């Protein structure tokens, strides 16, 4: 975490110091992406999150000093979800750079970057709302998983704030709230990964059959695509 955060901070500094003529307004989107990575890493240090599963119950708790707070835990989980939409925007940029270079200019326009920013904020708020509303801890679940958390981490679930997926009520009937949340998350992830696959297939096809880009340009685009894929 420390090495990654240091490198991201250095990269953020380098991007910020570039002139507008070199990177254009696109640099602000890159700064946003790096800032999210740094924030996620810092959240991990503060929260010290743990995922625990027991029977039909899944919980997320924090072991850090300031982690006994539901808003903090939910904010962390929502921030994690931004990784997927960031990946999609990166693949969209790479796809346009090869297939429709004229569209890449959109990433240098402040209105388009504002749209990207609003999309990121909207997706974050959506995940936060779903996690906060549909993964609330139940008294039945707290009691059922108490021994596990206390034995492993010394945490008493009766007093600890947490995110909990308790899929069955105490009387054995199904609790649909976490199930609906999981289905919603899976649909969002399916869309993100579906676009990633679509973009990757188109990029590979363009790299093989493009007649508009020079050999040197194709070689550079291949290297950038391989680098992006390796990051994923």
């Amino acid at each position: 975490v420390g090495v990654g955060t240091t490198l991201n901070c250095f990269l953020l500094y380098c991007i910020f110091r570039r002139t507008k003529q070199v990177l254009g307004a696109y640099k602000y989107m890159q700064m946003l992406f790096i800032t999210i990575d740094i924030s996620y890493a810092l959240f991990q240090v503060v929260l010290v999150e743990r995922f625990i599963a027991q029977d039909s119950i899944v919980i997320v708790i924090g072991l850090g000093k300031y982690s006994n707070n539901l808003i903090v835990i939910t904010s962390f989980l929502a921030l994690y979800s931004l990784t997927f939409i960031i990946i999609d925007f990166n693949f969209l940029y790479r796809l346009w750079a090869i297939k429709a270079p004229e569209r890449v200019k959109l990433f240098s326009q402040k209105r388009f970057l504002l749209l990207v920013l609003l999309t990121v904020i909207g997706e974050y708020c959506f995940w936060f709302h779903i996690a906060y509303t549909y993964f609330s801890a139940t008294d039945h679940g707290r009691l059922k998983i108490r021994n596990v958390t206390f034995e492993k981490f010394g945490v008493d679930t009766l007093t600890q704030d947490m995110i909990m997926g308790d899929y069955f009520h105490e009387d054995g009937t199904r609790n649909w709230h976490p199930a609906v949340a999981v289905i919603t998350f899976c649909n969002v992830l399916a869309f993100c990964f579906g676009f990633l696959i679509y973009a990757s297939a188109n990029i590979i096809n363009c790299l093989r059959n493009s007649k508009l880009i020079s050999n040197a340009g194709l070689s550079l685009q291949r290297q950038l695509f391989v680098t992006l894929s390796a990051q994923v």
Side-chain angles (χ1 to χ4, degrees), residues 3-33:
V3 175
T5 302
T6 301
L7 291 176
N8 274 326
C9 288
F10 177 73
L11 181 58
L12 187 63
Y13 169 79
C14 291
I15 293 175
F16 182 76
R17 296 293 295 178
R18 292 285 185 177
T19 62
K20 186 174 181 179
Q21 286 73 21
V22 175
L23 290 177
Y26 174 68
K27 71 179 181 181
Y28 296 114
M29 189 179 73
Q30 294 299 311
M31 291 170 64
L32 171 64
F33 291 169

Side-chain angles (χ1 to χ4, degrees), residues 99-142:
K99 190 174 183 179
E102 68 279 0
R103 296 182 184 177
V104 173
K105 296 180 181 179
L106 289 174
F107 280 91
S108 295
Q109 296 180 6
K110 292 184 178 180
R111 288 185 178 181
F112 184 79
L113 292 177
L114 178 61
L115 176 62
V116 172
L117 178 61
L118 292 176
T119 302
V120 171
I121 293 175
E123 199 261 358
Y124 179 85
C125 293
F126 172 75
W127 281 70
F128 182 95
H129 171 73
I130 293 294
Y132 190 89
T133 305
Y134 289 87
F135 285 112
S136 55
T138 63
D139 293 337
H140 162 254
R142 288 178 181 273

Side-chain angles (χ1 to χ4, degrees), residues 5 8 32-42 83 86:
T5 302
N8 274 326
L32 171 64
F33 291 169
I34 297 171
T35 300
I36 291 173
D37 285 340
I38 294 173
S39 300
Y40 179 73
L42 293 178
T83 303
I86 289 173

Side-chain angles (χ1 to χ4, degrees), residues 57-61 70 131-143 145 157-158 160-166 175:
I57 299 175
V58 179
I59 68 170
V60 182
I61 60 173
L70 185 58
Y132 190 89
T133 305
Y134 289 87
F135 285 112
S136 55
T138 63
D139 293 337
H140 162 254
R142 288 178 181 273
L143 286 172
I145 206 167
T157 55
L158 296 182
Q160 183 81 6
D161 277 346
M162 68 187 71
I163 292 293
M164 176 184 291
D166 186 0
N175 182 8

Side-chain angles (χ1 to χ4, degrees), residues 17 24 31 44 64 71 105 121 125 148 160-161 169 183 188 196 206 208 212 224:
R17 296 293 295 178
M31 291 170 64
Q44 282 186 304
I71 293 179
K105 296 180 181 179
I121 293 175
C125 293
V148 176
Q160 183 81 6
D161 277 346
H169 294 293
I183 292 173
V188 173
L196 189 151
C206 290
R208 289 177 176 175
L212 302 177
L224 292 172

